[in-house]
Amino acid sequence: RPSSLNRQAARHDAERPEGGSLRVRRMGAYKYLEELWKKKQCDVLRYLMRIRAWQYRQQTKIQRCTQPTRHDKAHKLGYKAKEGFCIFRAAVRRGGRKRPNGKGIVYGKPKHQGINQLKFKRNLRSVAEERVGRKCSNLRVLNSYWVNQDATYKYYEVICVDPSHAAIRRDPRMNWICDPVHKHREMRGLTSAGRKSRGLRVKGHRANKLIGSSQTAAWKRRNNLSLRRFR
């Protein structure tokens, strides 16, 4: 008896043109992987992710990977299986950000005495990219993606590029990252996860306040009076 995933794939793959004959569109290997990762609560992925979560807990918080866990996702985000590219897996502790005050005492106003229920502004994927960028300071962070999580950690794989490698410097599609302006782009909110935390994912009429790619700069420009004669 075919599984629900196979039935759904067969239903979408089958196309009946006007001639009346049934034509079946074949999916590639990456498409099957993509459909499998969409069903994270199926028995196969639940079993695999539980085994892998145990394995990840035994390793260091930043671990070099020989190959990406999600090949389809890594290649969508710019990964190439060639020299100059590498994958690092980072474990980030889940939850909010507790204020690091000794004994939980804030010697100030009652407004600032919160300790526990504080939330970090950036997302955990951006934090994982930052930690990998600090650890591998000679590499450039290209992108990242989620791979696993348990009760304590979330695990992300970060795609890094070596800007000094000849294979990268000769590649016309990738040598843009060799420019000095892209040093530690993960620290400055220039990766995909960083741009999301800055609110730059919106388009259209909702992005009117994002002119110049900065909400703060746009607000200051609209709310400050600039008299050019008396500057």
Side-chain angles (χ1 to χ4, degrees):
R1 184 180 178 183
S3 64
S4 60
L5 179 64
N6 293 337
R7 288 198 301 269
Q8 183 180 4
R11 185 170 63 251
H12 286 292
D13 288 349
E15 293 183 355
R16 187 180 299 275
E18 295 180 358
S21 60
L22 186 66
R23 181 167 57 89
V24 178
R25 184 181 66 226
R26 296 184 179 181
M27 293 194 303
Y30 283 172
K31 185 63 177 177
Y32 274 106
L33 285 176
E34 179 186 351
E35 294 296 326
L36 183 64
W37 274 96
K38 287 181 180 178
K39 307 286 184 180
K40 294 183 177 62
Q41 290 189 342
C42 67
D43 294 340
V44 176
L45 269 188
R46 287 178 62 187
Y47 176 75
L48 280 177
M49 290 167 62
R50 186 176 179 184
I51 298 290
R52 286 171 178 168
W54 175 88
Q55 178 189 5
Y56 297 164
R57 282 196 297 269
Q58 317 308 316
Q59 298 173 346
T60 57
K61 295 297 182 288
I62 296 178
Q63 180 78 18
R64 172 79 182 269
C65 305
T66 56
Q67 60 185 2
T69 303
R70 301 175 61 181
H71 286 271
D72 59 322
K73 189 70 171 178
H75 283 272
K76 281 182 180 180
L77 298 178
Y79 173 78
K80 301 290 184 183
K82 70 174 189 178
E83 294 179 339
F85 286 85
C86 53
I87 300 286
F88 286 87
R89 184 170 50 247
V92 183
R93 188 175 288 270
R94 297 176 63 177
R97 179 187 182 272
K98 184 177 180 180
R99 194 191 300 274
N101 284 41
K103 300 180 181 178
I105 301 174
V106 178
Y107 298 97
K109 300 178 181 179
K111 175 184 177 181
H112 300 135
Q113 287 179 350
I115 296 294
N116 286 322
Q117 298 185 7
L118 304 178
K119 311 299 185 294
F120 192 51
K121 189 174 182 180
R122 289 187 291 126
N123 51 50
L124 295 183
R125 187 157 71 94
S126 177
V127 175
E129 292 177 351
E130 177 186 352
R131 293 181 182 177
V132 172
R134 289 182 187 274
K135 189 77 172 180
C136 312
S137 57
N138 62 323
L139 302 178
R140 305 278 166 85
V141 173
L142 179 61
N143 220 321
S144 62
Y145 53 92
W146 177 94
V147 287
N148 209 332
Q149 69 185 41
D150 55 19
T152 307
Y153 295 100
K154 282 193 176 184
Y155 301 95
Y156 300 94
E157 288 188 356
V158 182
I159 306 171
C160 296
V161 181
D162 186 1
S164 303
H165 201 286
I168 301 298
R169 302 182 75 88
R170 294 170 185 166
D171 190 350
R173 294 182 178 178
M174 188 49 63
N175 58 7
W176 57 268
I177 207 169
C178 300
D179 295 340
V181 74
H182 294 294
K183 291 180 180 179
H184 289 291
R185 54 199 300 267
E186 73 284 349
M187 304 282 192
R188 298 176 285 133
L190 301 182
T191 59
S192 178
R195 287 176 59 84
K196 182 178 181 181
S197 64
R198 291 166 58 197
L200 301 181
R201 285 281 181 87
V202 296
K203 294 181 181 297
H205 70 279
R206 296 180 301 164
N208 292 334
K209 298 180 181 179
L210 298 178
I211 298 175
S213 299
S214 173
Q215 287 181 332
T216 306
W219 181 89
K220 289 177 66 176
R221 187 173 62 250
R222 291 193 310 270
N223 288 273
N224 288 340
L225 179 62
S226 177
L227 303 177
R228 301 182 62 87
R229 181 181 175 187
F230 299 105
R231 280 198 304 181

